[in-house]
Amino acid sequence: MAEEPRWRRRKEDRPGDICAAALQVFAEKGFAGARIEEIARRAGLSKGTLYLYFPTKEAVFRAVVRDAVAPNIEVIRQTVLASDQPFDELVRMLLPRVAEIITAVPLGAVLKMVVGESRNFPELAKVWHDDVVLKAVTILSDAIENAQDRGEVRPGDSRIHAFSLVGPMLLGVLWRETFTPVGAAEIDLPAIARQHAETVLGGLSIAEKAG
């Protein structure tokens, strides 16, 4: 079978190239400071070509979340669904994995951007909530409810329990993105994840409390 022409493959790759470039620009410049021209240049395109794929900067951001961020949430969801581990083992595996994803991809910088600019650009917060936060909290809440049904986790609002799991991780991310650049101590997110897993399990796990 003949190889597909390079120009055709390149055209099909352009949305992905744009999203990859935009993720970096948003992380570096924020939403207000990001320029379509800069995103297009890093993607190897003209500004006019970029607009053929995404009519606004908001549309670019939605695509970044859909293509660069949301797939990580789906990986976590599939991992949880496929797991038959007890709840404590699942948490000990899951939290460090989330920390690795956050460290490998500039999600923290984008989260900081959403928090800092959502008042002026509420669409950012809505997209992030609907495609990232809500899905992540639902995954954790469902896992907690299943563990409660098995008698592994104490009774309580599963959504609140989910917040208790992710809260320190979010603080660590915001610390790293906000304070470390101005001289604050470095934050080791995987270490936070491992230690917090043990701390929170002491409060949630029935087995731990009984011991």
Side-chain angles (χ1 to χ4, degrees), residues 70-108:
N72 291 294
I73 303 297
E74 180 61 19
V75 168
I76 292 171
R77 188 181 77 86
Q78 292 295 336
T79 299
V80 172
L81 288 176
S83 175
D84 58 359
Q85 297 172 296
F87 182 74
D88 57 347
E89 294 181 12
L90 178 64
V91 169
R92 290 185 177 106
M93 177 274 294
L94 193 60
L95 289 189
R97 176 59 181 146
V98 171
E100 290 173 3
I101 291 172
I102 293 172
T103 301
V105 182
L107 299 185

Side-chain angles (χ1 to χ4, degrees), residues 2-14 53:
E3 183 179 1
E4 186 178 3
R6 184 175 182 275
W7 66 267
R8 185 176 301 166
R9 296 201 309 274
R10 177 61 180 168
K11 183 176 181 180
E12 292 175 353
D13 288 343
R14 283 173 183 170
Y53 294 90

